Amino acid sequence: MSYFPWLTILVILPIFAGSLIFFLPHKGNKIVRWYTISICLLEFLLMTYAFCYHFQLEDPLIQLKEDSKWIDVLDFHWRLGIDGLSLGSILLTGFITTLATLAAWPVTRNSRLFYFLMLAMYSGQIGLFSSRDLLLFFIMWELELIPVYLLLSMWGGKRRLYSATKFILYTAGGSIFFLIGVLGMGLYGSNEPGLDLERLINQSYPATLEILLYFGFLIAYAVKLPIIPLHTWLPDTHGEAHYSTCMLLAGILLKMGAYGLIRINMELLPHAHYLFSPWLVIIGAVQIIYAASTSLGQRNFKKRIAYSSVSHMGFIIIGIGSITNIGLNGAILQILSHGFIGATLFFLAGTACDRVRLVYLEELGGISIPMPKIFTMFSSFSMASLALPGMSGFVAELVVFFGLITSPKFMLMPKMLITFVMAIGMILTPIYLLSMLRQMFYGYKLFHVPNENFVDSGPRELFLLICIFLPVIGIGIYPDFVLSLSVDRVEALLSNYYPK
């Protein structure tokens, strides 16, 4: 048992070290870049060390617990702790944020503020995945908003203010429901308000109140995840944001919604989740088809990738709605898998767009000849995204399929119908991804255009891409590497649904 406050250090280090950026000497961007990336690396190494030596995988209980009084008047505690569900997400956050800071090297305008905001996001994300208090969870959830809004509105495309405003309106609107749910849970049934997740797990509510609370939380997650019809901020945001911000949005921010859905709705409100789970499965299936077919109609290739993200989130929703060991493990695997693949596709789209200065597919063509490395990596990650066997996307989607098929909650006909719909979605995915590759890279349209910008990936970009490619292949070949983190915890969570 470790009594050293590992998690507090992991949460506070990035934002504290980030605030020192403003005191660095003004000698170009080089110092700021190296300082930021060394902070991210230090944090990632500390995280890996703490989890390797102080975390027992066999133990499904909360570990590395910390509990100290924060605001005495409100009886508000700083409670942190992790288990198998949050471990993968925290490691993903560390990995993607470190690479996103490396991807942000070309940013020269206000680079100090840019890197500080990235580190502030880092703290908020680690805090969210490790908080064991509902109010602290909410504070960390909100802490994300301001850095993302500033990153969007200051370093984005032509319509950056529109997309940043849309993002903040959607997420702040969802957060109102979240706050009402948090207050409702805290104030129900006891004289003094308590928001400790350990205590709330054993709390029971009247059926109507539980459904209302569930719905309130669901709206907040539906915006973040996103679940249709609350997804429309995502394509705009990804279309305008700088690609390092896109990596954080696609890699981590969307996963916070899925994590909240498992951590709060599944764990704390099991009866309502049992009632709503068929609807979640239906929404997930509709989302896979809808987003895939909408993606096919997008002319802007960044928006096409954004809609593919929405489509892949459908598998996570189905996995969570299936209420089976296999399905929930598949959803967690898809969270990590899409974190790697989605982030890299946006990085590749951004680097290609920086060189070509075009985003519409009909204006592109033939850029595989001047940029063979970008073409190779783009093709590889598109294959990973369309679930090619041997890559992580395939394993995750297959496990979700099995989870749905083995679910005792659904009858045979609905299962067959939803599996059929999911299969159509999986057929549409290669259609829109491969047609995008064809329009961007094949042909001769831009081959004759004299342009000095058409340089291929440099060593920094290749290093970043290979770093993400290795876990994608690794999880695809040996998924137990990731599943072993969450298997015991998932089993403990589902014992509320199917008592032995």
Side-chain angles (χ1 to χ4, degrees):
M1 181 72 194
S2 159
Y3 293 104
F4 187 71
W6 283 113
L7 292 177
T8 304
I9 287 175
L10 289 179
V11 172
I12 289 171
L13 174 71
I15 196 161
F16 175 72
S19 54
L20 300 177
I21 284 184
F22 299 107
F23 302 107
L24 291 176
H26 285 270
K27 288 181 181 169
N29 294 316
K30 212 166 198 175
I31 298 174
V32 183
R33 282 174 188 166
W34 282 109
Y35 176 75
T36 314
I37 203 147
S38 50
I39 294 298
C40 287
L41 273 173
L42 174 68
E43 169 93 353
F44 188 53
L45 293 172
L46 271 176
M47 189 188 292
T48 318
Y49 172 78
F51 296 162
C52 284
Y53 291 99
H54 302 290
F55 186 86
Q56 275 80 39
L57 276 180
E58 315 62 71
D59 184 359
L61 297 170
I62 303 295
Q63 300 177 48
L64 300 180
K65 278 188 190 173
E66 294 169 31
D67 188 347
S68 42
K69 271 226 163 86
W70 190 2
I71 304 171
D72 212 4
V73 188
L74 300 171
D75 191 32
F76 179 32
H77 289 240
W78 174 265
R79 285 194 189 92
L80 299 174
I82 54 165
D83 59 8
L85 292 179
S86 45
L87 184 65
S89 303
I90 292 178
L91 288 169
L92 176 76
T93 305
F95 187 73
I96 295 288
T97 310
T98 309
L99 291 177
T101 46
L102 186 61
W105 278 43
V107 174
T108 49
R109 191 168 57 84
N110 285 352
S111 57
R112 286 159 194 271
L113 180 59
F114 187 88
Y115 288 121
F116 168 69
L117 292 172
M118 286 186 99
L119 289 170
M121 272 181 82
Y122 199 176
S123 275
Q125 284 155 347
I126 302 280
L128 181 106
F129 290 130
S130 57
S131 67
R132 297 296 304 159
D133 184 279
L134 203 51
L135 195 56
L136 185 63
F137 190 95
F138 176 72
I139 289 170
M140 294 296 179
W141 182 270
E142 291 302 291
L143 189 66
E144 290 293 281
L145 285 191
I146 299 152
V148 177
Y149 176 75
L150 291 173
L151 284 169
L152 278 175
S153 58
M154 293 176 73
W155 296 268
K158 288 175 186 151
R159 300 181 67 215
R160 58 180 184 271
L161 283 171
Y162 166 76
S163 61
T165 313
K166 194 168 181 179
F167 168 78
I168 202 112
L169 285 175
Y170 267 80
T171 29
S175 300
I176 294 168
F177 291 98
F178 199 133
L179 182 60
I180 295 168
V182 169
L183 295 174
M185 262 189 177
L187 299 172
Y188 175 76
S190 61
N191 301 327
E192 73 276 350
L195 289 163
D196 180 7
L197 290 182
E198 304 293 313
R199 212 201 69 188
L200 290 173
I201 286 175
N202 305 318
Q203 176 89 14
S204 57
Y205 305 92
T208 322
L209 178 66
E210 186 165 338
I211 286 171
L212 285 172
L213 287 172
Y214 186 91
F215 213 70
F217 286 125
L218 186 64
I219 291 173
Y221 307 137
V223 172
K224 267 280 202 297
L225 229 170
I227 299 175
I228 52 170
L230 299 174
H231 67 288
T232 54
W233 62 271
L234 186 109
D236 287 323
T237 306
H238 281 310
E240 297 303 320
H242 185 265
Y243 51 84
S244 56
T245 316
C246 279
M247 286 176 76
L248 295 178
L249 283 172
I252 309 157
L253 199 83
L254 307 188
K255 313 302 173 280
M256 286 162 52
Y259 176 76
L261 196 55
I262 298 172
R263 173 64 78 211
I264 292 176
N265 286 15
M266 274 195 88
E267 263 196 308
L268 307 185
L269 306 165
H271 303 296
H273 185 73
Y274 196 74
L275 279 176
F276 269 111
S277 59
W279 294 104
L280 280 180
V281 172
I282 291 166
I283 290 170
V286 170
Q287 179 160 330
I288 292 172
I289 290 273
Y290 166 78
S293 44
T294 313
S295 178
L296 198 52
Q298 297 299 316
R299 292 163 55 230
N300 180 330
F301 67 87
K302 282 186 175 179
K303 286 193 176 179
R304 185 169 281 204
I305 298 171
Y307 272 107
S308 87
S309 270
V310 180
S311 178
H312 283 96
M313 292 297 113
F315 286 98
I316 296 177
I317 302 165
I318 290 176
I320 294 171
S322 69
I323 324 188
T324 51
N325 263 338
I326 306 176
L328 193 50
N329 278 313
I332 292 164
L333 195 56
Q334 175 74 337
I335 286 174
L336 298 178
S337 161
H338 184 268
F340 293 125
I341 297 167
T344 321
L345 279 175
F346 281 112
F347 170 70
L348 282 161
T351 48
C353 183
D354 268 7
R355 290 167 164 81
V356 187
R357 303 265 170 226
L358 300 168
V359 289
Y360 291 109
L361 288 169
E362 63 265 24
E363 297 168 354
L364 290 162
I367 56 174
S368 64
I369 303 164
M371 304 187 220
K373 290 174 193 160
I374 289 185
F375 167 59
T376 308
M377 292 316 272
F378 216 124
S379 304
S380 308
F381 278 97
S382 296
M383 295 300 161
S385 182
L386 60 82
L388 190 77
M391 295 190 179
S392 60
F394 172 72
V395 182
E397 291 179 16
L398 192 69
V399 176
V400 171
F401 259 118
F402 282 140
L404 179 69
I405 291 165
T406 55
S407 173
K409 183 163 170 43
F410 302 101
M411 311 293 269
L412 181 64
M413 276 311 288
K415 277 187 204 171
M416 285 173 65
L417 196 66
I418 285 167
T419 312
F420 177 67
V421 170
M422 286 167 76
I424 294 175
M426 290 180 83
I427 294 164
L428 285 172
T429 312
I431 295 176
Y432 65 74
L433 282 172
L434 295 177
S435 71
M436 177 180 77
L437 283 178
R438 180 181 58 77
Q439 285 173 280
M440 282 176 72
F441 292 104
Y442 293 89
Y444 292 96
K445 191 177 285 179
L446 296 178
F447 180 53
H448 301 297
V449 181
N451 197 329
E452 297 76 55
N453 285 341
F454 283 21
V455 281
D456 208 357
S457 292
R460 174 182 62 89
E461 293 165 341
L462 277 178
F463 171 74
L464 191 154
L465 292 166
I466 289 163
C467 277
I468 302 189
F469 198 58
L470 293 176
V472 168
I473 294 285
I475 296 171
I477 292 169
Y478 188 66
D480 263 19
F481 172 64
V482 171
L483 289 174
S484 59
L485 300 177
S486 60
V487 160
D488 296 320
R489 185 71 195 99
V490 164
E491 208 164 301
L493 195 157
L494 290 175
S495 60
N496 297 337
Y497 290 88
Y498 304 115
K500 295 215 164 64

